[in-house]
Amino acid sequence: MGVKQALKSLDAFPRAEEHLLQKTQTGAVVSVVGLLIMATLFVHELRYYLTTYTVHQMSVDLKRGETLPIHINITFPSLPCDVLSVDAIDMSGKHEVDLDTNIWKLRLNSYGHIIGTEYLSDLVEREHSHKHDDSKDHHEDKDQEIHLQGAFDQAAEDLIKRVKHAIANGEGCQVFGVLDVQRVAGNFHISVHGLNIFVAQMIFEGSKNVNISHIIHDLSFGPKYPGIHNPLDGTERILHDTSGTFKYYIKVVPTEYRYISKEVLPTNQFSVTEYFSPMKQFDRTWPAVYFLYDLSPITVTIKEERRSFLHFITRLCAVLGGTFALTGMLDRWMYRFLEAVTKPNARSVLR
């Protein structure tokens, strides 16, 4: 018996007799409100526990011999598809013309509606030599070839007529697809450089008349992961009565995203700065949109993690226990307040 009595003395939750308990309407209201608050907080804590968070880590990039996928989706509202070309060059000057590269173009009318589609197996310029340095040298070589040829062939004349008709009708072009380039610094650009320079001169009557306005719907260097932000998505650069060259300087950061399921998604994120160079009267170059990219030597690893169950239980006890204690205090205060208000009224009635 002594042991049992000792255990009873340690009871922190003594029970009162049923007839000693008094139930009130205010107590019922406070109890219902407290239960609603506790249920709401429980749901909030459960969602907080089930929601993952990310941890960022950095390390040296050790990847070698892999390709860099470049996803592009860009609209040129003032240039027909016939005049646009895509060129990708790495830092050694070598063209990246990959047979696996898939580029498509969509012909758009003046309202932006699709009026035709075409696979651009010949969009990446194949007429360049592998030893040229930049587009200026390319056009100087073309100038010499044109002077030697001295005349247009029928295909060039048909192209001029077709493009002029498309420009008069307000045709545009949407270029999209994937470029697979070597994992080294380089650039790719979309321009009218694929045209014979004399043909381009006959079509536009000068480089200042090439409207290189563009809308970047999507530009990414790999698959997307939760929370990624590609800074060029949704970029609009519309020119009026002027022309020039846009250059986007891109710093590509290799990234690994590790899901909570241990699945690893290799991709890249990037930062960008922008520069616009307006065309001058005697410029021999032609407007273009350049994307010059370089790779960071640092890899960012993003890990999804979930909070521990012990952490969840600790927060849940603190929240529910605090709410229970607070509602108990509120019930006592309300009971004493009502008792203090009703007692003087009862005494006055007896008198």
Side-chain angles (χ1 to χ4, degrees):
M1 293 296 293
V3 176
K4 292 183 178 181
Q5 290 297 328
L7 288 175
K8 287 183 179 180
S9 66
L10 298 177
D11 187 5
F13 308 99
R15 303 290 193 281
E17 295 293 336
E18 188 69 26
H19 67 277
L20 297 177
L21 299 177
Q22 182 181 0
K23 296 185 178 181
T24 62
Q25 292 182 351
T26 56
V29 172
V30 172
S31 299
V32 172
V33 172
L35 287 174
L36 291 176
I37 293 175
M38 285 190 285
T40 302
L41 294 177
F42 172 77
V43 172
H44 177 270
E45 288 298 323
L46 183 61
R47 292 178 60 184
Y48 180 73
Y49 166 68
L50 296 177
T51 302
T52 59
Y53 66 98
T54 56
V55 177
H56 292 69
Q57 298 176 344
M58 292 186 294
S59 60
V60 177
D61 183 22
L62 301 178
K63 295 179 180 177
R64 293 291 183 272
E66 298 183 5
T67 59
L68 179 67
I70 305 176
H71 301 260
I72 61 174
N73 187 357
I74 306 174
T75 294
F76 293 83
S78 301
L79 289 176
C81 292
D82 286 325
V83 302
L84 288 175
S85 62
V86 175
D87 195 12
I89 310 171
D90 65 20
M91 63 184 303
S92 65
K94 178 182 177 182
H95 279 77
E96 296 298 326
V97 183
D98 195 331
L99 295 178
D100 294 330
T101 296
N102 295 317
I103 300 292
W104 293 76
K105 64 180 178 181
L106 301 176
R107 293 176 55 205
L108 307 176
N109 61 18
S110 58
Y111 299 100
H113 300 151
I114 299 173
I115 57 176
T117 181
E118 180 181 347
Y119 176 67
L120 299 189
S121 59
D122 59 342
L123 182 60
V124 179
E125 295 180 52
R126 301 173 184 270
E127 299 177 1
H128 291 65
S129 65
H130 290 286
K131 297 182 180 180
H132 81 289
D133 294 328
D134 53 27
S135 59
K136 183 175 180 179
D137 293 337
H138 163 68
H139 290 308
E140 289 176 355
D141 293 339
K142 288 295 182 181
D143 276 334
Q144 295 176 0
E145 293 177 7
I146 291 299
H147 288 304
L148 293 175
Q149 292 174 357
F152 293 116
D153 57 13
Q154 186 61 39
E157 293 179 0
D158 294 340
L159 175 63
I160 293 173
K161 293 179 182 179
R162 185 168 64 253
V163 172
K164 283 189 173 182
H165 182 265
I167 293 176
N169 291 335
E171 278 194 27
C173 186
Q174 181 176 353
V175 180
F176 68 96
V178 181
L179 292 171
D180 290 312
V181 299
Q182 290 184 355
R183 201 177 182 82
V184 294
N187 78 79
F188 70 94
H189 57 272
I190 304 176
S191 63
V192 298
H193 292 169
L195 290 176
N196 182 297
I197 190 171
F198 200 38
V199 172
Q201 185 68 31
M202 292 294 294
I203 293 173
F204 297 104
E205 299 178 358
S207 59
K208 294 189 68 174
N209 297 322
V210 179
N211 190 339
I212 203 68
S213 298
H214 58 280
I215 303 170
I216 302 176
H217 306 289
D218 175 53
L219 179 67
S220 58
F221 291 81
K224 296 182 179 181
Y225 60 84
I228 190 174
H229 172 67
N230 293 323
L232 286 179
D233 289 0
T235 299
E236 294 187 17
R237 295 295 179 264
I238 306 300
L239 301 178
H240 301 282
D241 301 325
T242 186
S243 187
T245 296
F246 288 89
K247 291 185 178 181
Y248 297 96
Y249 296 91
I250 297 172
K251 193 70 172 182
V252 180
V253 181
T255 303
E256 282 189 352
Y257 192 89
R258 298 179 180 271
Y259 290 92
I260 195 72
S261 61
K262 306 303 182 182
E263 180 185 355
V264 179
L265 177 67
T267 183
N268 301 276
Q269 53 185 323
F270 66 93
S271 62
V272 63
T273 55
E274 177 184 350
Y275 175 73
F276 174 70
S277 176
M279 295 299 299
K280 298 179 181 179
Q281 184 175 0
F282 299 105
D283 278 347
R284 298 189 62 186
T285 59
W286 289 79
V289 179
Y290 282 84
F291 298 90
L292 302 99
Y293 56 88
D294 192 9
L295 281 87
S296 170
I298 301 299
T299 295
V300 175
T301 302
I302 305 175
K303 293 182 179 180
E304 284 186 349
E305 293 189 0
R306 180 169 287 139
R307 297 163 184 86
S308 67
F309 183 72
L310 184 60
H311 185 263
F312 167 68
I313 293 298
T314 302
R315 288 177 59 95
L316 191 62
C317 291
V319 168
L320 298 184
T323 305
F324 183 79
L326 182 61
T327 53
M329 294 171 58
L330 182 62
D331 176 57
R332 288 193 296 271
W333 292 340
M334 292 183 64
Y335 177 77
R336 291 175 182 175
F337 174 75
L338 293 176
E339 190 179 41
V341 171
T342 56
K343 277 188 177 182
N345 294 335
R347 291 175 182 176
S348 62
V349 169
L350 291 175
R351 291 178 182 176

